[in-house]
Amino acid sequence: MTRAERFSRFFAAQRNWFAVIIAIITGFFAWQLRHLEIYTQFLDLLPRNHPFIKIYETYREVYGNANTVVAAVVAKNGDIYQPDVLRAVQMLTAELDSSVVAADINALPASHYVTPHGAVATAVHALVAAADRVFHGNTAVESETGVDHNLVTSLTDRTARDSRVELDGTLVSPQLVEQIPESPAELAALREKVRRNPSVFGVLVSPDEKAALVRASFVETRLDYGALFKHMQAAKAKVMAQYPVDVFVTGQPLLFGWAYAFATEILLVFGLTLVVSVLLLWTYFRRFYGVFLPMSGAAVNVIWGLGFAAWLGYNLDPLVLVVPMLITARAISHSVQFVERFYEEYEDLGDKDEACIRSMAELLLPGTLAILTDVFGLLTISLATIPLVSKLGLLCAFWATSILVTEMLLNRLLILYLPAPSERQHRISPLTARVLKAASEIVVSRRGAVVVSLAFLVQTVLCFKLALNVPVGEHRPGTPILYPDSEFNVAAREIASRFYGLDDLLVVAHSNALGRVYAPDSFKYIESLQRALEVDKNAGGSLSLVDLEKQTSRLFHNNDPRFSMWMQTTAEIAGISYLMETSVPAPGILDPYRSRDSMSLAIRVFYRDHRADTVSGAIERLEKFVDEVRLDGTLAVRLVPAPKPWYRQRRWLDALLGPQRPNLEVTQAGPGGTRQVMPIPAGATHVDGPDGSAAEVRQAGFRKPYELWIKLGEGAEWQLQPSGTWLKDGVELRYAAGSIGVLAAANEEIEKSHGLSLAIVFVATLGVLLLSYRSWILSLITLASLASGSLAALALQSVLGIGIDVNTLPVQAIGVGLGVDYAIYLVDRILQELKRLPTRKEAIQHAIRTTGMAITFTASTLVVGIAFWIPISSLRFSAEMSLLLSVLMIVDALGAILLVPALIALLPRSWLGTSD
Amino acid sequence: MLAAWVLLAAPLSAPAQIASNPPELEQAIATTKAAFPKLVQFGPPDDTEHFLNAVDDAELEKLKARLTSGPFDDKVEAAVYVMLEGFSRMQGPAQTFGRNLTSEIAGLAATSHDKATLEGVGRVLMRFLEDQSHPFSILSQGLLGEKIRCGAASEGDDALVASITKAVNPDKEYDFGSTDGNTADRFGIHPQADLFSVAARGPRVAVAGYFGSVLVSQNGGDSWDAPNTGTDEPFFAVIFGPGDELWAAGRAGALVHSKDGGRSWLRRPTPFARHIFGLYTDAPDTVLAVGDYGLQLRTENGGDRWLCIPRVQDVILGRIAPVDSDGVVVGEFGTIERLPKGIPPGKRGMLRGVPEDTYVYDAWFDETGKVGLAVGLAGTILRSDDGGATWNKVKTEFTQDMFGVGGSGSHAVVAGEGGLLALSTDGGQTFTRADSPPLPIPLYDVDFGDADHAYAVGPRGLVLRSTDGGAHFKVVHGGSGS
């Protein structure tokens, strides 16, 4: 008796204990479900350890965050210099500046604010609306928008000023639009004022003068994405109804809003998937158990998974819900394998309990193996430093592990408790049987096996080539989550084509010396950076205090354009800054440009999109500048990357090996202005400087990057330098925040995690297989099937341009785990049949006809269950994921049914120890 | 009303008594009493603050003569110090007189061509500058920075130039340069820089602008090169010299010289950091640079040595238009001066019926040297038909600021705010809008390469070209075109 059979018999004997334990745990998780929350937490999308994110978090409160809504008012006829168009801008500004979402607007479900286009979408929307009417909870309360009033900018807002110098030399900056101008002369005057104002023209008014922009930043911790979405959609409709304008609204918070708006649809689609699965199960088995066992197991599995999430206080992001759903689909698939096997044995034995024990014993190894590889895949993604991904990895790893109990044990329990099935005969779909029989005959013939193997080899090599080009990050303008013609993406395109761009890169010029950033060399430094980044064809423009000072300097020199340059002394710059601050009655007008502690200035560069190329191009250029152009002052201490050894050339290895130890660079400006660089030998962590000052390089944990700590004198406190640089009196560029900086950090982490998780999954899978089969050749055959599936999916991503990002990374990693299941089941079956049947040929044919049947069925169930997302889903993301997973599953199933047996058939006889 | 006036005046008329004068002042008073007994009438000995009562006019003239033509010694320096310090402690018109006298003395020292005089007057002014509560402190900063420094530079007194530069610019401790002068070149900023000036000669065109950019075309603007000029400072002027020479200059005294038509450039730093807005050349290695604070610098050896020519008035000087063998420089406060052979001082043109405070940006003269046009703020177009001796306003429909003018024969084009390009085909008597792309940006300069080819420049590397004498302009560089 094998160990698996001993356990199965023990389990059958102790069934009551097992039932009680499973019931208690299920009850516990069901009780936890009341804490479950589904929402998006922006901070979860950021890799907290990444230096960019540290800078982002340092300056979030000062210069605003990446949660910016951008709205454009476009005149239907003519330009914006019409009273009605300006009134529309004013109205939209007021709506964005509003702190609360009115109760009557918040009362309606988010789907109410969606206008469907096209017949399918209209039908789906009607269904969603109906569902919302029934299920929508009471939200008729005022909700906070979390808007930061100082970070609202618009042509008609108080933040847009018209500076001019009076005859007596005083600078006045009245609001640019205090009252809506009515007469043609007033409108023409406004046009001239706008054209001269670098912080308005091109930024808040498009260069073609047909559109005006309203920007608002939101405090992420106080932001209700759903309510804000309703608020903005209602405001948009209101403005468009009243004035002859088009309104386009976009921005990160709105994207989450759209995801909420489609939440009901996602749930409906899930529901539909469930119904389809039940129907398919019935069509296939035509037996009560065939439907009841998988579905009951899936239900308990979902309770465990969601309950676990709630227990740990995780929020579920609507966009990644597809991942847990997949795992549940895996649970169903395992269950189908079992039910199929049970009926097979039952038909053979006629004894329900004995059939159950035997099928359990035979599936225990492949089932556990398959689930363990799934779990490894999921655990590796929890290594990612992006909280959303790592939480999801951990949650799903548990969720997948729970399949061991909720399906594998629970199914058996139910069969043991339930009465024996009335029909003993195992139903076989005649068409599938014929196809599988043909397939099995092909792969056992030598020529067929060679052809199949070669075909897969060609496919794998081709896909590998394509897979090398899979983009990391977003690959298309707008958001890939929604369709290009979605309202959100249309708005994003419209705004990006008319203005400097939607996405901003924030760099902070910081100095430890108070007021140092206001020196002329600092201004020159800042403007050099702006112009250097603007050369990038994806950059639309940039804005900093330097631009405003240049403009003011020009005003003080009779509008002479040549004086639109940085001033010559700190005194002049400080003087102009003072005048700019005091010429405006409202405080905080310069908040987006400078910090109130006189230590830093903000540089914002706008980009037309946030495609991965754009982001990496921007960061590359920025890093080149920071590296080559420095304003160090008298003493500079900084961490600089050490030269990469050969084994670090691939970026993803960094994630495995931990961050590389940097070098410490100390630059001193000598008396003659010369600079002396003192490289610190590797291994040293402590460097003494002048006057008892000292620098240290520290590392907080294995996966934490190295940190620079500085002590300014004898007995002074050690201070962390978040940017890895400390300058006594120089100006340092801290980067990178803004939406581009945040995305760059996420992309870098994903690039690392992606390669790493694929590598670990393969190694771990190989390890598990080796342990179980104790055969290199069988393990490698299984891996070959796995590789062909994952590479096909990656190749598809590459061809369709679906980038690997926070949303798709988990799907990829899970796909790998999924892929191996089928192959494991089939290999295991062949091994079992080899013992029972006389020849290898027969064993292979029998395995294909039986286990291959279950594989065909589970794969087709899953594919049919998700395939209809493609035409009906309003979220492009769901549709694409569905396509991706369908391809993955079909290739994996084909690999298991054709490639694995073909390779086994081709093996030299001696390797398997059987005859033909 | 009267009471209020008295209240306001009270603190001014009774300032706190100074207990005693610093020893160097007492010493200087003693020296002055001995050396120039009739120059200063001293007050009662108990009023140490108001030690000066009056100055004798005739004696003052003699002192000024000593400053102009020497010899200068400690005694003269003491007398100057005592006199100016004395006036600085007075109120109302007497102090104003003292201010004007200070300015005049600085001017005399600057034009004295005598190192001792420059250094001596410099020391007096430096003393005022260092005491930040001194009534003449800020005045001295300006006088030292412009006049004395200019005089010292023209005498080759580099030590004095350096010490004044240090004193008037307390920022120097922070001046780490910030860029090495090649940043714009390395990061490809030049082709997108804001352009302020254009010079064209036949098919050769040079445009200059922000971040040390000089773009050069050898084929009438069809293709452009962006050579490294070795500086990131903005340029405001570019001109062709004899043969293959090119000059460009701009912010904070940045000036570069090319002898190979703009392929390679040499940095020729000017003695102190004043903005240069206009250039004029008529001989090899010779250039006159004018600019902020009435700066006038001239070199005849390619910038090895600079002669600084001090001006009485501190006006911003702009571009210089060649006319016959002279140059006409324009600037603030209606300044239109004809510089014989391009050497200051020049002769101011008469503005007839034009406000004296007109800000003039650019001028152009036709080949006869008789007809001239000058443009400035708020739609100002001035015309002269007597070689620049007198100027009248041309009436046009335009009210926007005009920054550039250029022409050939009877064709003239003005460039200005809001993408304005206006053409005159009658030697500047009437103007009509040229056919050019509607641009909501200012155009800063315009120049003709020959009778047909005209070029105008603006922000972000924008160059417009006309091939029909200014009737139609099209973008050939920058803007949305590239």
Side-chain angles (χ1 to χ4, degrees):
Chain A
M1 197 159 50
T2 63
R3 260 179 291 180
E5 200 182 334
R6 269 206 299 278
F7 174 77
S8 304
R9 291 200 182 282
F10 166 76
F11 176 75
Q14 303 295 328
R15 61 183 83 166
N16 291 340
W17 283 111
F18 279 95
V20 168
I21 293 167
I22 292 174
I24 288 173
I25 299 175
T26 308
F28 169 76
F29 283 127
W31 176 243
Q32 292 298 333
L33 278 179
R34 69 197 198 285
H35 300 304
L36 187 71
E37 284 183 292
I38 300 184
Y39 65 92
T40 305
Q41 172 64 266
F42 182 72
L43 291 177
D44 273 358
L45 298 171
L46 310 178
R48 305 300 278 272
N49 273 340
H50 196 285
F52 292 3
I53 301 304
K54 292 214 158 109
I55 296 300
Y56 171 76
E57 290 184 342
T58 310
Y59 289 101
R60 195 170 56 203
E61 307 280 309
V62 185
Y63 296 122
N65 53 45
N67 269 307
T68 305
V69 169
V70 184
V73 173
V74 180
K76 280 202 168 115
N77 301 302
D79 57 26
I80 59 156
Y81 300 107
Q82 306 171 48
D84 265 358
V85 177
L86 292 172
R87 267 190 281 274
V89 177
Q90 199 173 37
M91 186 181 204
L92 192 67
T93 310
E95 291 289 347
L96 262 173
D97 203 15
S98 155
S99 306
V100 290
V101 180
D104 59 327
I105 287 171
N106 201 17
L108 297 164
S111 59
H112 175 82
Y113 297 95
V114 178
T115 321
H117 298 283
V120 178
T122 310
V124 173
H125 186 257
L127 270 174
V128 169
D132 269 339
R133 237 177 319 228
V134 179
F135 297 111
H136 185 64
N138 178 24
T139 54
V141 283
E142 276 194 357
S143 172
E144 237 187 324
T145 60
V147 68
D148 185 336
H149 297 294
N150 278 337
L151 294 174
V152 174
T153 48
S154 154
L155 177 63
T156 61
D157 192 64
R158 65 188 171 82
T159 47
R161 315 300 299 193
D162 173 39
S163 302
R164 59 173 186 267
V165 177
E166 299 283 272
L167 283 176
D168 62 359
T170 52
L171 180 72
V172 292
S173 330
Q175 197 170 323
L176 190 55
V177 181
E178 247 156 319
Q179 270 184 327
I180 301 292
E182 302 283 348
S183 71
E186 285 172 324
L187 289 162
L190 176 62
R191 182 202 304 269
E192 282 309 312
K193 286 178 192 168
V194 167
R195 283 179 174 181
R196 288 180 188 184
N197 196 328
S199 60
V200 175
F201 191 73
V203 181
L204 298 177
V205 172
S206 66
D208 65 4
E209 306 188 322
K210 291 195 169 85
L213 202 74
V214 186
R215 255 174 199 273
S217 249
F218 294 84
V219 181
E220 47 219 346
T221 46
R222 275 170 34 198
L223 180 52
D224 176 343
Y225 293 106
L228 180 68
F229 170 76
K230 297 177 196 172
H231 179 70
M232 284 318 302
Q233 290 294 95
K236 176 182 164 176
K238 197 161 99 185
V239 173
M240 280 173 68
Q242 210 164 330
Y243 299 109
V245 293
D246 282 320
V247 175
F248 298 97
V249 193
T250 186
Q252 192 73 27
L254 260 284
L255 176 58
F256 297 139
W258 278 101
Y260 281 105
F262 292 125
T264 311
E265 186 190 307
I266 296 175
L267 291 177
L268 275 185
V269 169
F270 282 178
L272 204 55
T273 304
L274 193 70
V275 172
V276 171
S277 306
V278 169
L279 286 179
L280 282 172
L281 285 173
W282 180 253
T283 322
Y284 176 67
F285 284 115
R286 307 280 166 92
R287 301 283 182 274
F288 168 72
Y289 285 179
V291 178
F292 176 72
L293 291 185
M295 283 303 157
S296 61
V300 175
N301 183 243
V302 168
I303 291 172
W304 280 45
L306 292 180
F308 181 76
W311 186 40
L312 293 188
Y314 286 1
N315 55 300
L316 283 182
D317 192 301
L319 284 179
V320 294
L321 274 180
V322 66
V323 175
M325 210 212 77
L326 264 173
I327 295 174
T328 303
R330 298 308 307 148
I332 295 177
S333 150
H334 284 295
S335 186
V336 168
Q337 289 283 357
F338 169 71
V339 176
E340 172 76 25
R341 192 62 172 264
F342 167 75
Y343 274 114
E344 224 183 291
E345 301 291 342
Y346 187 54
E347 187 178 319
D348 207 25
L349 298 166
D351 179 345
K352 177 193 71 158
D353 283 13
E354 197 50 38
C356 176
I357 288 167
R358 193 184 290 182
S359 55
M360 181 174 179
E362 277 165 0
L363 288 183
L364 201 60
L365 177 69
T368 311
L369 213 54
I371 289 167
L372 280 184
T373 54
D374 279 0
V375 171
F376 272 114
L378 292 161
L379 277 178
T380 56
I381 64 168
S382 75
L383 283 178
T385 50
I386 298 171
L388 175 84
V389 178
S390 82
K391 280 182 189 177
L392 186 75
L394 202 61
L395 166 65
C396 292
F398 172 82
W399 200 314
T401 316
S402 75
I403 297 177
L404 285 174
V405 179
T406 60
E407 290 286 354
M408 296 193 51
L409 297 187
L410 191 66
N411 275 188
R412 285 53 164 179
L413 269 184
L414 288 174
I415 288 193
L416 291 173
Y417 281 114
L418 290 172
S422 46
E423 308 95 331
R424 190 172 155 184
Q425 202 197 357
H426 175 209
R427 190 188 170 277
I428 290 170
S429 149
L431 178 70
T432 322
R434 265 210 305 281
V435 171
L436 285 174
K437 188 165 181 290
S440 70
E441 269 155 20
I442 290 171
V443 296
V444 292
S445 76
R446 194 158 184 87
R447 190 189 285 173
V450 169
V451 169
V452 164
S453 304
L454 282 179
F456 270 91
L457 184 69
V458 169
Q459 177 256 330
T460 308
V461 169
L462 273 181
C463 289
F464 180 74
K465 257 188 100 72
L466 285 170
L468 286 179
N469 300 325
V470 178
V472 169
E474 293 177 10
H475 195 50
R476 295 164 287 201
T479 173
I481 288 168
L482 300 170
Y483 281 101
D485 60 352
S486 69
E487 213 174 309
F488 182 91
N489 277 342
V490 168
R493 258 202 315 279
E494 189 73 26
I495 294 173
S497 71
R498 287 180 188 275
F499 293 89
Y500 276 1
L502 276 173
D503 294 286
D504 65 324
L505 171 65
L506 174 70
V507 182
V508 176
H510 166 92
S511 177
N512 293 315
L514 201 69
R516 169 71 178 92
V517 287
Y518 289 90
D521 58 353
S522 158
F523 268 45
K524 185 179 180 184
Y525 188 44
I526 290 171
E527 203 186 352
S528 307
L529 172 69
Q530 285 181 258
R531 302 297 163 250
L533 292 180
E534 278 174 7
V535 171
D536 189 343
K537 66 180 190 319
N538 294 316
S542 66
L543 205 52
S544 76
L545 189 70
V546 178
D547 298 297
L548 305 189
E549 292 246 359
K550 278 171 67 181
Q551 177 63 12
T552 312
S553 159
R554 180 181 170 180
L555 289 173
F556 272 105
H557 290 91
N558 296 298
N559 204 31
D560 185 342
R562 295 170 300 206
F563 277 92
S564 173
M565 59 179 144
W566 54 84
M567 302 268 75
Q568 267 191 293
T569 64
T570 307
E572 282 175 296
I573 292 176
I576 288 199
S577 305
Y578 173 78
L579 288 171
M580 281 162 64
E581 301 260 2
T582 53
S583 66
V584 176
I589 212 79
L590 293 179
D591 278 359
Y593 306 103
R594 57 100 187 89
S595 64
R596 295 190 180 192
D597 60 7
S598 295
M599 305 272 274
S600 71
L601 298 176
I603 301 140
R604 277 193 177 75
V605 189
F606 299 96
Y607 289 85
R608 299 188 206 283
D609 58 58
H610 50 248
R611 290 178 305 118
D613 303 356
T614 309
V615 172
S616 61
I619 297 297
E620 210 170 288
R621 201 160 249 282
L622 170 63
E623 290 191 325
K624 178 172 147 69
F625 186 92
V626 171
D627 189 45
E628 289 184 11
V629 188
R630 290 177 180 174
L631 191 48
D632 278 354
T634 51
L635 178 64
V637 181
R638 57 160 65 82
L639 298 179
V640 291
K644 278 188 180 297
W646 60 271
Y647 55 87
R648 291 236 186 217
Q649 295 300 326
R650 303 293 307 184
R651 201 178 224 168
W652 54 267
L653 271 172
D654 277 359
L656 193 65
L657 299 167
Q660 193 188 357
R661 183 178 186 81
N663 284 340
L664 187 65
E665 180 194 279
V666 182
T667 314
Q668 275 179 308
T674 56
R675 284 176 190 188
Q676 188 191 355
V677 181
M678 305 188 295
I680 303 303
T685 56
H686 187 97
V687 184
D688 284 315
D691 314 323
S693 63
E696 265 183 25
V697 183
R698 298 184 190 171
Q699 191 186 16
F702 170 62
R703 290 181 56 78
K704 288 263 167 56
Y706 290 88
E707 292 171 344
L708 176 68
W709 291 74
I710 292 286
K711 193 171 72 166
L712 289 177
E714 210 67 66
E717 295 262 311
W718 283 99
Q719 289 173 342
L720 169 69
Q721 306 298 318
S723 56
T725 299
W726 179 82
L727 308 178
K728 185 161 177 270
D729 47 12
V731 175
E732 146 196 16
L733 295 175
R734 295 183 164 179
Y735 61 95
S739 58
I740 295 282
V742 166
L743 270 176
N747 288 355
E748 273 185 23
E749 290 303 317
I750 284 167
E751 198 183 333
K752 283 184 197 170
S753 305
H754 169 60
L756 179 69
S757 25
L758 282 190
I760 294 187
V761 168
F762 273 81
V763 172
T765 307
L766 184 65
V768 172
L769 291 172
L770 273 177
L771 271 179
S772 327
Y773 294 141
R774 295 175 197 276
S775 153
W776 273 98
I777 194 70
L778 284 177
S779 306
L780 288 176
I781 286 174
T782 317
L783 270 193
S785 144
L786 166 65
S788 79
S790 349
L791 288 174
L794 278 173
L796 184 73
Q797 272 198 289
S798 170
V799 169
L800 295 181
I802 306 171
I804 296 176
D805 62 13
V806 174
N807 299 314
T808 51
L809 175 73
V811 178
Q812 264 294 338
I814 288 165
V816 176
L818 289 180
V820 81
D821 287 10
Y822 298 140
I824 289 175
Y825 273 113
L826 202 98
V827 168
D828 206 74
R829 187 64 183 255
I830 292 174
L831 289 181
Q832 285 171 20
E833 298 305 327
L834 276 174
K835 286 175 207 151
R836 216 166 4 192
L837 295 170
T839 65
R840 168 157 68 166
K841 228 176 208 169
E842 278 173 282
I844 290 174
Q845 282 182 326
H846 189 78
I848 293 177
R849 279 202 296 265
T850 52
T851 303
M853 180 71 86
I855 290 171
T856 315
F857 172 67
T858 43
S860 56
T861 308
L862 278 171
V863 170
V864 173
I866 60 176
F868 65 87
W869 296 6
I870 299 170
I872 70 166
S873 176
S874 306
L875 290 172
R876 180 189 192 156
F877 174 73
S878 309
E880 283 182 345
M881 286 309 103
S882 147
L883 182 61
L884 205 62
L885 290 166
S886 302
V887 167
L888 189 70
M889 254 151 343
I890 291 169
V891 177
D892 278 335
L894 288 177
I897 296 171
L898 297 175
L899 178 64
V900 169
L903 287 174
I904 291 179
L906 284 177
L907 287 181
R909 232 166 289 170
S910 56
W911 290 20
L912 282 168
T914 52
S915 62
D916 271 331
Chain B
M1 196 62 205
L2 189 67
W5 171 243
V6 170
L7 276 176
L8 268 175
L12 290 174
S13 56
Q17 200 75 16
I18 293 177
S20 64
N21 286 318
E24 65 266 24
L25 180 58
E26 289 299 343
Q27 170 100 49
I29 289 173
T31 311
T32 308
K33 276 179 180 166
F36 303 96
K38 281 187 268 175
L39 177 67
V40 180
Q41 289 175 23
F42 288 94
D46 58 324
D47 188 353
T48 52
E49 187 183 2
H50 301 102
F51 61 86
L52 184 138
N53 254 357
V55 172
D56 182 84
D57 283 349
E59 287 290 318
L60 181 58
E61 287 310 314
K62 281 190 209 159
L63 188 73
K64 285 182 191 171
R66 289 282 293 273
L67 288 165
T68 313
S69 42
F72 189 87
D73 55 23
D74 292 352
K75 291 168 195 139
V76 178
E77 185 181 334
V80 167
Y81 175 35
V82 168
M83 224 165 41
L84 300 181
E85 177 69 40
F87 281 117
S88 77
R89 295 181 179 187
M90 299 175 120
Q91 305 297 326
Q95 199 192 51
T96 307
F97 176 81
R99 283 178 177 277
N100 292 339
L101 185 61
T102 311
S103 203
E104 193 184 349
I105 285 176
L108 293 175
T111 49
S112 68
H113 299 293
D114 179 55
K115 272 194 189 183
T117 312
L118 280 160
E119 282 168 4
V121 174
R123 272 193 295 276
V124 173
L125 295 176
M126 208 78 94
R127 203 173 281 146
F128 296 161
L129 171 69
E130 277 158 15
D131 174 7
Q132 284 187 11
S133 63
H134 196 284
F136 291 175
S137 179
I138 291 173
L139 174 69
S140 299
Q141 187 180 7
L143 294 174
L144 277 167
E146 308 318 318
K147 297 192 167 163
I148 303 298
R149 194 159 59 156
C150 179
S154 69
E155 291 313 303
D157 191 345
D158 293 341
L160 183 56
V161 170
S163 72
I164 292 173
T165 303
K166 193 164 188 286
V168 296
N169 184 4
D171 251 8
K172 280 295 161 186
E173 60 177 297
Y174 274 149
D175 197 352
F176 295 109
S178 79
T179 65
D180 57 7
N182 297 313
T183 304
D185 183 58
R186 213 166 33 210
F187 288 89
I189 297 172
H190 290 317
Q192 291 190 15
D194 293 351
L195 299 175
F196 290 104
S197 180
V198 53
R201 183 186 283 173
R204 292 161 61 199
V205 191
V207 295
Y210 228 75
F211 277 107
S213 306
V214 182
L215 310 182
V216 187
S217 172
Q218 309 292 344
N219 49 18
D222 290 337
S223 67
W224 296 86
D225 289 323
N228 185 4
T229 55
T231 178
D232 293 327
E233 294 289 333
F235 287 146
F236 302 117
V238 62
I239 55 161
F240 281 103
D244 274 342
E245 275 192 50
L246 260 173
W247 297 86
R251 182 184 178 273
L255 188 138
V256 292
H257 185 199
S258 168
K259 295 193 170 192
D260 55 9
R263 271 175 212 86
S264 66
W265 292 87
L266 271 175
R267 290 184 70 177
R268 311 307 311 193
T270 50
F272 40 85
R274 284 289 168 231
H275 312 318
I276 298 168
F277 295 138
L279 292 171
Y280 175 84
T281 177
D282 58 357
D285 287 331
T286 300
V287 78
L288 169 73
V290 299
D292 205 6
Y293 293 95
L295 173 83
Q296 301 176 138
L297 290 168
R298 190 177 151 83
T299 184
E300 293 182 354
N301 49 17
D304 280 348
R305 280 233 57 80
W306 289 95
L307 179 72
C308 185
I309 304 152
R311 272 181 78 92
V312 185
Q313 289 168 297
D314 286 346
V315 295
I316 299 170
L317 296 176
R319 298 202 182 112
I320 310 171
V323 47
D324 298 334
S325 56
D326 299 343
V328 168
V329 65
V330 297
E332 241 183 340
F333 305 123
T335 302
I336 308 181
E337 277 177 26
R338 186 157 180 143
L339 312 172
K341 306 279 174 207
I343 303 172
K347 189 174 184 313
R348 204 177 161 100
M350 274 270 298
L351 299 178
R352 283 198 305 223
V354 182
E356 283 292 322
D357 63 352
T358 303
Y359 199 126
V360 187
Y361 279 114
D362 196 7
W364 164 79
F365 281 83
D366 73 355
E367 289 78 359
T368 66
K370 290 289 170 219
V371 176
L373 287 170
V375 295
L377 279 186
T380 302
I381 301 180
L382 309 177
R383 187 171 185 277
S384 170
D385 49 18
D386 53 10
T390 57
W391 296 85
N392 294 291
K393 192 159 184 169
V394 180
K395 286 202 169 59
T396 65
E397 55 171 309
F398 309 115
T399 55
Q400 53 267 72
D401 297 343
M402 307 273 192
F403 301 120
V405 56
S408 176
S410 60
H411 280 232
V413 171
V414 295
E417 195 78 62
L420 174 75
L421 284 168
L423 172 70
S424 169
T425 52
D426 54 6
Q429 297 179 51
T430 57
F431 283 87
T432 50
R433 219 175 239 280
D435 173 40
S436 62
L439 296 163
I441 48 168
L443 298 175
Y444 294 132
D445 195 10
V446 59
D447 197 19
F448 277 66
D450 55 39
D452 294 327
H453 291 79
Y455 307 88
V457 294
R460 294 300 151 102
L462 179 70
V463 182
L464 297 150
R465 177 176 68 187
S466 168
T467 53
D468 55 4
H472 302 82
F473 278 90
K474 281 202 171 69
V475 176
V476 290
H477 186 266
S480 52
S482 68

